[in-house]
Amino acid sequence: MSIQETEARMPVLLVRKRAGVVGETQRTCHLVPMPDDDRTPLALTAYCGELIHRGEAELLTQPSGMPCVGCLFRVPMPRSGELNAHDW
């Protein structure tokens, strides 16, 4: 499954705080709901509750580094019919 197909089914961003903003052990890959509009928000809130301010993070095109376990537990599951048998 491509990144574009995943984004179309489950609109989430992969975000990680930049080096120097936090220590290396805190640079986990967070899952963030896609903002509702095209404006750049002042801050994003990851599913785990982590507040990520504009300018202190990097947007990832694919998972990188350690995933945030809190985000993984809280991200909504795809709605019925969004996953096909061939995805597994």
Side-chain angles (χ1 to χ4, degrees), residues 13 29 38 54 64 72:
L13 300 173
C29 182
D38 291 336
R54 187 184 329 171
S64 179
L72 292 177

Side-chain angles (χ1 to χ4, degrees), residues 15-16 24-30 63-69 72:
V15 180
R16 176 172 68 175
E24 194 62 31
T25 60
Q26 295 176 312
R27 294 189 66 219
T28 56
C29 182
H30 290 279
S64 179
M66 190 68 173
C68 171
V69 175
L72 292 177

Side-chain angles (χ1 to χ4, degrees), residues 8-77:
R9 294 180 190 179
M10 202 162 115
V12 295
L13 300 173
L14 300 172
V15 180
R16 176 172 68 175
K17 289 194 176 180
R18 294 183 190 280
V21 173
V22 294
E24 194 62 31
T25 60
Q26 295 176 312
R27 294 189 66 219
T28 56
C29 182
H30 290 279
L31 300 169
V32 177
M34 183 78 72
D36 292 333
D37 55 31
D38 291 336
R39 293 180 297 173
T40 303
L42 293 175
L44 298 169
T45 304
Y47 281 106
C48 68
E50 179 84 21
L51 189 61
I52 303 167
H53 295 280
R54 187 184 329 171
E56 70 178 20
E58 56 190 2
L59 186 61
L60 304 171
T61 58
Q62 60 187 17
S64 179
M66 190 68 173
C68 171
V69 175
C71 285
L72 292 177
F73 281 133
R74 291 175 184 89
V75 69
M77 293 296 295

Side-chain angles (χ1 to χ4, degrees), residues 77-83:
M77 293 296 295
R79 293 181 296 269
S80 177
E82 290 184 341
L83 289 178

